[in-house]
Amino acid sequence: MNISDNLARINERIRAAAEKAGRDPASVRLVAVSKTRPAADIIEAFRAGQTVFGENYIQELVPKLAEVHETVQWHVIGHLQSNKVKYIAGQVALIHSVDRMSLAQEIDRQWGKLGKTCDVLIQVNISGEATKSGTTEAGAVQLVRECALLPNVRVRGLMTMPPFFDAPEAARPYFTELRRLSGAVAAEQIAGVDMAELSMGMSGDFEAAIQEGATLVRIGTAIFGKR
Ligand SMILES: *Cc1c(COP(=O)(O)O)cnc(C)c1O
């Protein structure tokens, strides 16, 4: 099985899941998670039509920014240390993993130096597991409010990682809860904030996530194979 075939299969499953949920398939975007994969795999996926790529580690992303000359769109999906933000300023389209004000402030500062604005999602730890990144559900609205005051950061939605991998029905309640929280934040009508994006769903559970409203699904293994 090659990357191109895997992508075709995943795109077909995304389309089917969206239609089953009564949603426009175009409302769901595929983020190909390319962590640990060489630049050659990214270029192969790009030639097969994939444009959005998600990376977890800045030390891995930075060399890829230089190696991949194709016009891909980069998303940061993993835990991000504030001292690494300067290496990616202006070079990524969306950061999915903003979970604290100190990180948002550093993004604001670094993008601001370039006269640019960075789109971000707020990562929420719905399960409350100690091992997971993310703000608490109770703290999410406050974090969005504070981020909204930063001139060079624009909040576009929420992201979560459920505790169960590859168990779609076990993960579903966490997806449902993120969607509910997104509605609650939207109802606050915070100036400069929209809740257009819901980043949830991975290789093992993206169909359930799409049924629960995902607009960005982050899929690695099912495209590139086991890491
Ligand atoms: C690795 C990773 C993914 C992709 O997981 P797969 O199971 O390989 O599809 C998605 N989101 C985040 C945050 C990840 O770290």
Side-chain angles (χ1 to χ4, degrees), residues 29 31 52-55 61 73-78 80 88 90-98 107 111 117-122 154-159 197-199 215-216 218:
R29 277 194 296 158
V31 179
V52 183
F53 293 87
E55 288 280 341
L61 172 56
Q73 196 185 95
W74 297 103
H75 288 192
V76 171
I77 62 169
L80 181 55
I88 55 162
Q91 303 194 77
V92 303
L94 185 66
I95 298 176
H96 294 226
S97 45
V98 171
I107 293 168
W111 259 256
T117 297
C118 184
D119 282 358
V120 305
L121 307 180
I122 302 300
R154 190 163 62 136
V155 180
R156 306 297 321 279
L158 305 179
M159 179 273 225
E197 305 287 2
L198 267 183
S199 171
T215 65
L216 292 163
R218 311 179 307 266

Side-chain angles (χ1 to χ4, degrees), residues 3 38-45 67:
I3 290 171
D41 283 11
I42 294 167
I43 292 164
E44 188 177 337
E67 281 174 71

